[in-house]
Amino acid sequence: MPEIRDLAEQLHFSPSEGRIWLTDRRMILVHAEAFSALRQELVESFGPDAARGILTRIGYVAGCRDAELAWKIRGSSDSLADVWIAGAQLHSLEGMLHTEIVRGDIDSKSGKCFVEFLWKNSVESEAQLQLYGLGSEPSCWMGVGYSSGFLSTCMGKRVLVREVECRSMGAAQCRAIAKPANEWDNPEDDLKYFEPRQPDKSRPAPASSPKSRSQEPIAQKNAPDKNAPGANDIVGASASFNAILHKILRVAPTNATILLLGESGVGKSRFARETHKHSKRAQNPFIEVNCAAIPEQLIESELFGVERGAFSGATEARAGRFEIADGGTLFLDEIATLSPTAQGKLLRVLQTGDQERLGSTKTLRINVRVIAATNENLQKAVKEGRFREDLFYRLNVFPILIPPLRERKDDLPVLLEYCIDKFSKYHDRNITGVTSRALQAILSYSWPGNIRELENVIERGLILADDGSPLDIFHLFSVDGSFESQEIMGLSDMGSLVSKSLQNSWNGTPSPQIDTLNNWAEDLVRQGKATLSQVEDALVRAAVAEADGNISRAAQLLQVTRHQMDYRVKKLSSKADGSESNNA
């Protein structure tokens, strides 16, 4: 097991500035008594279930941050074990508890993950015992969140940690087990704490004295409900994602108009559907309209309907989207592209609930909840005269800004797992996991196209990868080549933190990691001891031997396609046959 020194050396104190740094991340020191008081305040104010969720999510974010640090310091392609062991060491370094790994088997390529560890001197179990005495539920909520976040980032998929023994339950020590979420029985019992839920208004007020709860369980075993992560159409785990869900769960039961803001591809449509699902209108229609996809001449008839003969080609009366969505929700995407006339009619519907079809004088009363979305700056559009100011204020009742994917990278592991599962089923493929270097590339890329680009890259990679094999970095590419040109941080042979181009790691361009190989090649050429063909043949033979004759695996080792590897093996065999014939 690697020593903790390389991690401890990243911790710096600057009393003159009032800052503590762990590499480039600011840290804080908190009294254990203060943390205990905060935990008690959360439990007493919001109930044990809500308190557990808050602390679990805080721990998850901390685990994701430390996983990024571990990748930087120990993230060479062949040392994944060193990376996840760093999680246990960082957890100990930060003073929450001391982790001892009992056994572990983790491999992102095959998707295998099983880790059993002991937690000693847990500040959470100590606080629980001091405040409430022995209970019937484990209490290391932040520890569970931290370990789940760290391992999920390392694996590129949702890993769930369960505390199976706890000192607050009377055990000699705390013991936890980590496995992929889909390998646990009833994972929703724990996953519900990783995202916010609607407040339980029926929960009785907490007792005034902490000791009156001493024999009560810390968390109730609720049956899976519609707020469980597995029941949602959207996935995420970052603090930003949870903040959005908090807002959605608050506004969904009301009739307020919602304005979703954010770059193209961040998932505004899915968040709109999530809002409808949690609203009182959930059993009524959800109608989605992309305003930019409808010609300007037809947008009014599409939204508000048309009577027969209203214009040339209107051979029959037709209801508009507002009428179809009556009683439900109408989602207007790309709202900034509406014509001035359509904007005026939309304003009237929002103000009064009244509308007329084109060519009709009959006023229709409409009961529709409007959710609008745009990737434009509407305030700028108002100043430029392209968007009505009064309509902007009508739409801006409850704005929700959805951050781009580059600002919520903690969502990437669960999004990656979701995409692989989704496209594996769609294309009938079997992808075992993701290599560590591919995972580093995915976590380091800025994703300018957001979730839509992520889905496209993963789908292409899944098509290129062989069945029964993991996604590797050479399966991932973007149309303009920008994905390969991103840089990640890695260790050089001398142990220094260096910038390493993703493209360099698989297309043959020299990088700091292969200086030794370059020197060897220079010596070989200078001495005239081998030709290019001989070196290539030697690499092919070595890869096939290392892979025990498995051509697909050998291709992965040399970072070429299976077709290319198969060609080289056949070419090598033909050379051997020709040599034997000449000798005969």
Side-chain angles (χ1 to χ4, degrees):
M1 179 182 294
E3 295 184 0
I4 198 173
R5 178 177 297 177
D6 60 337
L7 302 175
E9 289 175 348
Q10 308 300 319
L11 187 61
H12 305 285
F13 294 81
S14 178
S16 61
E17 297 179 334
R19 290 186 172 97
I20 303 172
W21 299 99
L22 184 60
T23 62
D24 57 348
R25 302 288 170 84
R26 187 172 181 178
M27 309 291 286
I28 58 173
L29 275 177
V30 177
H31 288 283
E33 291 86 353
F35 171 79
S36 178
L38 172 63
R39 182 186 175 99
Q40 178 184 353
E41 185 76 18
L42 290 173
V43 171
E44 296 299 314
S45 298
F46 305 109
D49 258 14
R52 177 177 177 178
I54 292 170
L55 293 175
T56 298
R57 294 191 291 275
I58 291 174
Y60 189 95
V61 171
C64 292
R65 296 284 78 75
D66 279 357
E68 293 176 5
L69 170 61
W71 275 119
K72 287 183 179 180
I73 297 176
R74 296 181 180 172
S76 58
S77 61
D78 57 350
S79 62
L80 183 57
D82 290 351
V83 173
W84 62 264
I85 288 172
Q89 295 173 327
L90 284 167
H91 215 176
S92 299
L93 181 66
E94 291 162 7
M96 289 298 294
L97 47 81
H98 175 66
T99 301
E100 289 185 5
I101 299 174
V102 178
R103 52 180 172 150
D105 184 9
I106 179 170
D107 180 14
S108 64
K109 296 179 182 178
S110 63
K112 183 188 299 182
C113 178
F114 182 89
V115 186
E116 180 182 357
F117 36 85
L118 301 178
W119 286 335
K120 298 183 177 180
N121 304 321
S122 166
V123 69
E124 292 187 276
S125 63
E126 291 176 0
Q128 179 64 27
L129 286 170
Q130 180 182 2
L131 291 171
Y132 303 107
L134 290 177
S136 59
E137 294 286 339
S139 60
C140 297
W141 302 332
M142 283 186 69
V144 165
Y146 178 96
S147 302
S148 297
F150 190 98
L151 290 172
S152 294
T153 303
C154 288
M155 287 292 296
K157 64 187 297 184
R158 173 79 84 178
V159 174
L160 175 61
V161 174
R162 273 184 176 170
E163 188 179 11
V164 294
E165 295 178 7
C166 187
R167 288 187 63 237
S168 65
M169 299 166 60
Q173 53 198 353
C174 302
R175 184 169 69 93
I177 293 176
K179 293 193 295 186
N182 57 7
E183 294 182 12
W184 284 104
D185 294 331
N186 303 318
E188 63 276 0
D189 290 348
D190 297 86
L191 290 177
K192 64 185 179 183
Y193 296 107
F194 287 83
E195 65 177 43
R197 294 169 292 150
Q198 289 174 318
D200 183 6
K201 297 180 180 179
S202 64
R203 182 181 63 82
S208 58
S209 171
K211 292 299 180 182
S212 66
R213 292 173 175 261
S214 61
Q215 301 302 320
E216 292 183 12
I218 299 306
Q220 304 298 322
K221 291 186 175 292
N222 295 332
D225 58 21
K226 66 180 181 179
N227 298 309
N232 290 337
D233 295 326
I234 54 175
V235 293
S238 67
S240 297
F241 176 85
N242 289 330
I244 296 169
L245 278 190
H246 269 300
K247 293 180 180 179
I248 286 176
L249 295 177
R250 283 291 182 183
V251 73
T254 73
N255 290 314
T257 302
I258 300 172
L259 179 61
L260 299 177
L261 304 168
E263 296 178 5
S264 177
V266 295
K268 294 187 286 291
S269 174
R270 294 189 181 184
F271 282 109
R273 290 181 180 274
E274 187 73 8
T275 304
H276 175 73
K277 186 170 71 174
H278 289 282
S279 73
K280 298 174 182 178
R281 303 169 181 264
Q283 303 305 315
N284 295 323
F286 176 89
I287 304 299
E288 182 172 349
V289 179
N290 188 327
C291 300
I294 302 174
E296 183 177 345
Q297 300 86 346
L298 299 178
I299 187 68
E300 292 180 54
S301 60
E302 285 293 323
L303 290 180
F304 307 109
V306 61
E307 289 292 342
R308 180 180 178 181
F311 54 80
S312 178
T315 57
E316 59 182 17
R318 179 165 50 86
R321 303 299 175 91
F322 271 95
E323 289 182 64
I324 297 172
D326 192 24
T329 302
L330 180 63
F331 174 53
L332 299 177
D333 200 4
E334 305 290 353
I335 191 73
T337 63
L338 283 180
S339 66
T341 304
Q343 290 180 33
K345 290 192 173 184
L346 175 58
L347 176 63
R348 183 189 177 197
V349 175
L350 293 176
Q351 286 179 328
T352 66
D354 296 337
Q355 70 140 77
E356 290 96 21
R357 293 181 181 178
L358 283 179
S360 172
T361 58
K362 181 181 179 181
T363 299
L364 301 176
R365 189 74 175 175
I366 302 297
N367 176 22
V368 172
R369 200 254 189 90
V370 172
I371 301 177
T374 182
N375 57 12
E376 281 198 45
N377 185 332
L378 286 186
Q379 289 178 310
K380 181 179 178 182
V382 169
K383 291 179 180 178
E384 294 174 352
R386 295 184 291 109
F387 201 81
R388 294 182 59 136
E389 185 176 21
D390 46 4
L391 177 58
F392 168 71
Y393 289 123
R394 280 289 175 182
L395 293 173
N396 201 40
V397 174
F398 198 91
I400 299 178
L401 176 62
I402 303 173
L405 191 53
R406 62 182 174 274
E407 295 179 9
R408 48 188 180 105
K409 289 193 173 183
D410 294 349
D411 290 335
L412 279 170
V414 289
L415 283 171
L416 177 60
E417 180 184 26
Y418 168 80
C419 290
I420 290 177
D421 182 62
K422 170 185 173 181
F423 293 121
S424 292
K425 292 177 180 177
Y426 182 74
H427 295 293
D428 193 22
R429 305 299 301 275
N430 176 28
I431 299 300
T432 59
V434 185
T435 65
S436 59
R437 60 183 175 183
L439 184 56
Q440 280 185 280
I442 291 169
L443 294 175
S444 301
Y445 186 53
S446 61
W447 299 109
N450 294 297
I451 296 174
R452 187 178 294 121
E453 182 184 10
L454 173 67
E455 289 182 326
N456 291 343
V457 168
I458 298 305
E459 184 173 13
R460 283 195 296 267
L462 186 140
I463 293 171
L464 289 171
D466 294 315
D467 262 4
S469 301
L471 281 179
D472 209 338
I473 192 169
F474 50 86
H475 298 134
L476 308 175
F477 65 93
S478 59
V479 174
D480 61 0
S482 59
F483 185 81
E484 299 92 330
S485 64
Q486 293 297 306
E487 291 189 340
I488 57 176
M489 302 301 293
L491 288 178
S492 68
D493 292 337
M494 301 300 293
S496 302
L497 199 61
V498 296
S499 177
K500 178 173 63 175
S501 169
L502 299 181
Q503 187 175 16
N504 292 345
S505 67
W506 65 277
N507 71 357
T509 305
S511 70
Q513 282 66 34
I514 57 174
D515 285 343
T516 303
L517 182 60
N518 287 339
N519 294 335
W520 169 81
E522 290 172 2
D523 291 341
L524 204 62
V525 171
R526 189 180 303 112
Q527 298 172 18
K529 291 184 177 180
T531 65
L532 178 61
S533 177
Q534 290 172 329
V535 172
E536 183 178 279
D537 291 347
L539 286 172
V540 170
R541 282 192 294 268
V544 172
E546 178 68 22
D548 294 327
N550 186 313
I551 301 300
S552 296
R553 175 61 182 150
Q556 292 174 15
L557 293 174
L558 293 184
Q559 301 174 20
V560 297
T561 66
R562 191 189 188 285
H563 176 75
Q564 291 171 325
M565 190 66 186
D566 190 50
Y567 169 77
R568 284 170 170 77
V569 170
K570 290 178 179 177
K571 182 180 177 182
L572 189 60
S573 298
S574 64
K575 287 182 181 179
D577 293 341
S579 176
E580 290 177 2
S581 299
N582 292 335
N583 292 336

